[in-house]
Amino acid sequence: MIRGLTKTIRFLGIYGWWRTFYKVAGRSRRLPGFVRPRLARVRDVGVIGCGQFAFATIGCILCRRFGNRFVDCCDPSHEAQSTFARFFRIAAPGGVAQKVIANPSCELIYVASNHASHSRYAVACLEAGKRVYIEKPICTTVEQAAQLFPLARAARGRVFAGYNGPHSAAIREIARRCEGTDGPLSLMCIVLGHLLPAGHWYRDPQEGTRICGNVGHWLDLAIHMLAWQGIPTSIEVTLSFADPEGRDENMSIALATERGDLVTIVMSARGEPFEGINESIVFQQGDVIAKIDDFRTMTLWQDHKRWRRRYRPKDVGHAAAICQPFSGRSRDWFEIEVSTLLMLFVTDMVRAGV
Ligand SMILES: NC(=O)c1ccc[n+]([C@@H]2O[C@H](COP(=O)([O-])OP(=O)(O)OC[C@H]3O[C@@H](n4cnc5c(N)ncnc54)[C@H](O)[C@@H]3O)[C@@H](O)[C@H]2O)c1
């Protein structure tokens, strides 16, 4: 009780009123219909996978920005689907993904289901001519990538990926400061992830390990920042594992490029962080140095100048990422393909213990 209250108070400070309210509502799933739907002609969004992220992040951000446009949803868990439909006042949820995709009212579909299903749903959406936002990871196998990538390339402007780091205010400001800066970069990322119980679905072998579930975010951010000077033609990957039984957590990844860039990612999950995942970044390129503390503060130096930024609410880039289908500011799809292939390559290395 006291822990729950303390967490809510902390979340109010970190995420603000609305996100905290949706987070609590998404966890409890007890509230009746809350968000009034918009007029029928602007209700055009479907959701596949009605879990916590769809409810508390996608639901909150879309409804706060554009009003409630949800018109259909599905989830194999009756509880998840019915409570999502009740809260967002979806009168007759499709129940299965095929029906949501075939629903003529759904012009844009958010896929926020289990990892192994993302690319299958995305392919079905694109084949049906829909626009689709795919939560991370967009694939968990090379076979899925081979099927999705050609379709996604042909559907440019209709497909969006949920990797949010590059959309954060901090990373966008570093990008602006680095314009015109030459030379290799150094990027150090430290991720203190959730402590997942043994039976958590992220651990199911077909879901692609925590490399697909969590570390993929950081590989994608690394590719995005490396791409400021052009995507490198080769990357040397070195892994260190602390625990031979659970190689996808408490591990580090080092990436070195032929032009001298160095990226390190440390993933630690030794206890549950009370305020959620905690992420730190240190960056240097030329005379630009940045230190980001959990996307809540950043100190930035360039030559003799120094800036201090505070992000309230915490800005990991979720809002800008989720709004891509509306804002027209979407990621370069080629970066997403490269980061996905790198993630799958690292996943294979982790599985093999290389
Ligand atoms: N971008 C981010 O920062 C971020 C953060 C958290 C979660 N996520 C992503 O959001 C997605 C959902 O995660 P979550 O935290 O909401 O997990 P969750 O467990 O709360 O929700 C997942 C939901 O998917 C449903 N589901 C399972 N198999 C399905 C299938 N075959 N078809 C349709 N639905 C299915 C489950 O019943 C569940 O309701 C994942 O891809 C996760 O990686 C992204």
Side-chain angles (χ1 to χ4, degrees), residues 51-53 75-76 112 114-115 118 121 135-136 164 201-202 318:
Q52 180 65 3
F53 193 75
D75 195 296
N114 63 311
H115 300 151
H118 289 178
Y121 290 141
E135 244 322 310
K136 56 83 183 166
N164 45 268
W201 66 264
Y202 268 47
H318 279 149

Side-chain angles (χ1 to χ4, degrees), residues 166-178:
H167 296 276
S168 64
I171 299 298
R172 282 186 285 136
E173 179 162 4
I174 298 173
R176 284 196 299 277
R177 300 273 167 222
C178 286

Side-chain angles (χ1 to χ4, degrees), residues 113-140:
S113 50
N114 63 311
H115 300 151
S117 66
H118 289 178
S119 91
R120 176 164 40 95
Y121 290 141
V123 165
C125 290
L126 293 175
E127 284 177 341
K130 306 289 167 122
R131 297 198 299 150
V132 62
Y133 176 97
I134 320 167
E135 244 322 310
K136 56 83 183 166
I138 60 167
C139 309
T140 51

Side-chain angles (χ1 to χ4, degrees), residues 30 54 61 66 77 80 94 105 129 133 221 237 265 274 320 342:
R30 294 221 187 92
I61 288 167
F66 309 108
S77 150
S105 298
Y133 176 97
L221 181 64
V237 183
I265 300 166
F274 187 71
L342 177 60

